[in-house]
Every structure is written in C-alpha cells, then in structure tokens.
C-alpha cells in the first residue's frame, strides 16, 4: 500500500511539476560534431531547417533546462535555434510563456554565424531583484531580464554589484572582440551538462557565460532598456 501511495505521488508530481522537452517536428537531420548552439535570425542567415522543439512545463533551473534542450537538438545535428512564438486565434503573437514555448532548430555552417563584436549582455538572476552599478548609473534588474550594451573604442565600462564582498569588472572595446555574456547571481552556477563548460569565468557574483547558454537566456528572458 505504501509503495502504491508513493508511486501515485510521484506520478502526480511529474504531471504538475515536471517538464517535458520534445522534438515536435523533424524534417531532416545533419551529421556534425559542432559543440555550439547559437541563436540566429533565420531571415538573415543562410540556414538549413531541421525541425522544431517544444518545452512544456516550468523549471527555474535554467542550466538544467538548457542542457536538456541542447541534448535534444544534437539528436538531429542542430547547431542553431530561433524562438518560434505561438499565435492566438486572431493571428497575433502570444506573450512568451516560461512554461510553454517552441524553438526552431537549424544547421548553419560554423564559419557563417554573424558576429556581434564589442557587444555585452548583462543578465539578471532568475530569482531576485538586484541593484547593479554600470559606470555612474544604478540599474535595478528585475528577475529574468537583461540589457544589451555596445563597447566603444577607448571607453571603459565598470560594472559592480555594489556589495561589501561583491564583484567589480571593467570592460573596454577592442578590435574584433567577440560578444560577451555576464550574469549576476548570489548562488552557485554549475557547469552545463551538455559537454562543454557553461561557465567560463566566475568573479564573485558576476559570472561570464559561455555564448550558447548566454544566447539561450537572452531568448527566454525579457530585454529592458
């Protein structure tokens, strides 16, 4: 009887709290060993459409969610993705729902991805509001939001969590400097489970993210200006 009750609890827990990631549509697959999984605008990049992935259910463990998505995408050889919004009955686009969204999957030749040189993304914690100093400005980041900034040659941007034992980083524009992603956090961020490090550099509570994971967060988080 106890075993039956336990199995019932486990079953209903999966229904109400579980998350499912499925390949909704598979048009074709590609054989490649690319570790990257970058966000693209398919209207601006030559790409091969492979299929569609759907996320059902919410989890606040973004690292784990991305690892599951990455694993599914690699089953058909995808190295790129784009967000595919749902439409309402009247044809308008639905607001993004963390508990239910779709991603289109593509293969793009690795040397043809567009560059975002001297661009930085500052990404909030998924859990709490934080006040961050960006040069002389004080920016209050709501959970699951981000901002995008351009680094100019000769300009130095100072970013600080403004805590007693917090972190401060300084960034400057340089020739051909690749895009960078930083997330603010007061908790430990684990390595991505998909095979390559999801965290390259960690300085206290400002974490530099691997590009694939950073682009995933800027897809499911909300940009504010």
């Amino acid at each position: 009887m106890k075993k039956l009750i336990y199995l019932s609890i486990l079953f209903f827990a999966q229904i109400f709290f579980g998350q499912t990631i499925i390949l909704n549509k598979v048009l074709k697959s590609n054989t490649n060993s690319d570790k990257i999984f970058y966000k693209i605008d398919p209207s601006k990049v030559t790409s091969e459409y492979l299929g569609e992935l759907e996320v059902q259910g919410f989890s606040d463990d973004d690292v784990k969610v991305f690892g599951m998505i990455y694993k599914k995408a690699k089953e058909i050889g995808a190295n790129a993705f784009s967000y595919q919004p749902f439409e309402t009955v009247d044809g308008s686009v639905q607001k993004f729902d963390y508990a239910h969204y779709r991603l289109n999957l593509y293969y793009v030749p690795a040397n043809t991805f567009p560059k975002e040189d001297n661009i930085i993304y500052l990404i909030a914690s998924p859990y709490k509001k934080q006040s961050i100093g960006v040069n002389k400005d004080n920016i209050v980041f709501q959970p699951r939001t981000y901002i995008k900034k351009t680094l100019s040659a000769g300009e130095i941007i100072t970013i600080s969590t403004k805590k007693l034992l917090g972190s401060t980083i300084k960034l400057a524009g340089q020739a051909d400097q690749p895009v960078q992603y930083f997330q603010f956090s007061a908790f430990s961020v684990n390595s991505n489970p998909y095979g390559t490090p999801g965290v390259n550099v960690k300085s206290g509570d400002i974490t530099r993210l691997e590009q694939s994971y950073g682009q995933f967060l800027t897809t499911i988080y909300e940009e504010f200006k």
Side-chain angles (χ1 to χ4, degrees):
M1 184 67 180
K2 288 183 179 179
K3 185 178 291 186
L4 180 61
I5 294 173
Y6 172 77
L7 291 174
S8 298
I9 292 173
L10 182 62
F11 174 74
F12 286 109
Q14 288 178 335
I15 290 176
F16 291 109
F17 303 105
Q19 185 176 57
T20 304
I21 296 174
I22 59 175
L23 286 169
N24 253 353
K25 187 190 305 179
V26 177
L27 216 63
K28 58 178 71 174
S29 61
N30 188 287
T31 303
N32 67 82
S33 58
D34 292 348
K35 298 295 184 183
I36 58 178
F37 188 51
Y38 292 162
K39 179 171 62 176
I40 63 167
D41 180 344
S43 67
K44 298 179 180 179
V45 179
T46 300
S47 58
E48 180 182 18
Y49 177 75
L50 302 181
E52 179 188 276
L53 177 149
E54 185 170 340
V55 178
Q56 301 173 347
F58 175 73
S59 169
D60 62 2
D61 189 342
D62 295 322
V63 173
K64 183 177 180 180
V65 172
F66 179 65
M68 295 167 64
I69 289 174
Y70 180 94
K71 185 176 180 180
K72 279 290 184 184
K74 291 304 174 181
E75 288 180 10
I76 60 173
N79 67 356
F81 67 94
S82 68
Y83 170 59
Q84 176 60 45
F86 289 101
E87 292 186 357
T88 61
V89 177
D90 62 4
S92 59
V93 174
Q94 288 186 4
K95 184 179 179 181
F96 181 82
D97 181 358
Y98 291 106
H100 191 203
Y101 56 93
R102 296 179 296 178
L103 300 176
N104 286 329
L105 304 176
Y106 307 88
Y107 172 73
V108 176
N111 61 348
T112 63
F113 280 98
K115 293 183 178 181
E116 280 190 299
D117 290 344
N118 288 313
I119 298 294
I120 61 170
Y121 289 85
L122 305 179
I123 305 171
S125 159
Y127 302 114
K128 65 177 186 178
K129 180 170 66 175
Q130 289 173 288
S131 180
I132 303 296
V134 180
N135 287 340
K136 295 181 180 181
D137 296 327
N138 181 54
I139 301 177
V140 177
F141 283 77
Q142 297 296 327
R144 296 184 174 272
T145 60
Y146 72 93
I147 63 173
K148 176 181 177 180
K149 284 189 167 294
T150 301
L151 298 174
S152 303
E155 177 192 17
I156 296 178
I157 292 182
T158 301
I159 302 165
S160 173
T161 56
K162 305 194 314 176
K163 297 176 183 177
L164 180 62
L165 299 177
S167 303
T168 298
I169 59 174
K170 294 181 182 291
L171 303 170
Q174 301 177 30
D176 301 319
Q177 179 171 245
V179 62
Q180 299 175 78
Y181 296 81
F182 297 92
Q183 186 172 29
F184 309 114
S185 62
F187 57 95
S188 177
V189 178
N190 298 318
S191 298
N192 281 341
Y194 61 84
T196 58
V199 175
N200 287 338
V201 179
K202 185 167 184 179
S203 174
D205 45 10
I206 300 178
T207 304
R208 181 175 173 180
L209 305 177
E210 184 271 334
Q211 184 172 337
S212 295
Y213 181 54
Q215 291 187 343
F216 169 69
L217 291 186
T218 58
T219 301
I220 67 170
Y221 285 17
E222 181 180 356
E223 181 178 12
F224 76 91
K225 301 177 181 179

